Amino acid sequence: MAAEAPILDEFRRLRARVPQLTGALAAGVDGLVIAHDTPGVEPDGLAALTAAALGVAVRMTDATGRGDLRELLVRGTDGYVATYAAGRTAVLTLLATDRVNVGRLHLEGRRAGARIGELVDAEALPARRSPARNSAKEPAKPMPTRTKTARSARTTTNARTTNES
């Protein structure tokens, strides 16, 4: 996957901004690993668990009328697991120690999720194009122009409407 190197760069920048991070994983909503930096944690298992938790969380937000899922936070005795939406088809899962500033984790996690989502979605776009399409660049069609037409003066009358019953 071509987006893996830029995603790993994003992980490095994220760790610099939030030193209490102990791992980061980008995965598809289907549970497949896109990129990971998870020392001591098996990435395929974490991606599969993320997809399962994501499924439950999406159903919970739907059932309670809370809109589309944005993030999921799980707190254990030794730290946090935070999952953020990353574009249309991916999620970002962050692992952090129990000393992390949760507000900072959310701020940076949301920003990183948005950037990773852009990378993943941009890579997915060429695959969605129809193979039957001609790859030669077609000349751009000119944008339709809008012209202003003169309007006649409006006259208003002071009319009242009544409901006679």
Side-chain angles (χ1 to χ4, degrees):
M1 171 169 261
E4 185 175 2
I7 292 172
L8 290 173
D9 287 340
E10 183 61 36
F11 289 168
R12 281 187 277 285
R13 288 190 299 270
L14 188 56
R15 279 189 182 233
R17 291 188 305 267
V18 184
Q20 296 83 13
L21 283 183
T22 60
L25 172 117
V29 293
D30 55 3
L32 297 176
V33 175
I34 296 171
H36 69 91
D37 177 15
T38 55
V41 177
E42 201 271 314
D44 291 323
L46 180 58
L49 287 170
T50 296
L54 182 66
V56 171
V58 165
R59 278 184 270 174
M60 193 180 322
T61 57
D62 284 345
T64 58
R66 299 297 180 239
D68 294 335
L69 177 76
R70 300 269 177 105
E71 58 200 32
L72 173 67
L73 181 68
V74 177
R75 182 179 181 200
T77 56
D78 296 327
Y80 295 87
V81 179
T83 299
Y84 302 91
R88 295 184 311 268
T89 61
V91 292
L92 169 65
T93 296
L94 301 177
L95 308 175
T97 67
D98 61 340
R99 297 180 323 276
V100 72
N101 177 323
V102 177
R104 180 66 183 243
L105 177 68
H106 282 322
L107 176 70
E108 298 296 345
R110 290 171 188 147
R111 288 178 179 169
R115 284 189 289 275
I116 290 168
E118 289 171 1
L119 292 168
V120 172
D121 290 348
E123 186 170 303
L125 283 178
R128 291 184 176 200
R129 289 190 182 139
S130 171
R133 243 185 204 195
N134 185 0
S135 61
K137 193 116 173 145
E138 295 178 10
K141 294 181 182 177
M143 294 294 292
T145 57
R146 292 179 50 167
T147 58
K148 290 187 177 184
T149 56
R151 294 186 182 184
S152 58
R154 271 201 303 197
T155 58
T156 58
T157 58
N158 192 5
R160 283 191 270 177
T161 57
T162 60
N163 289 336
E164 294 184 33
S165 309

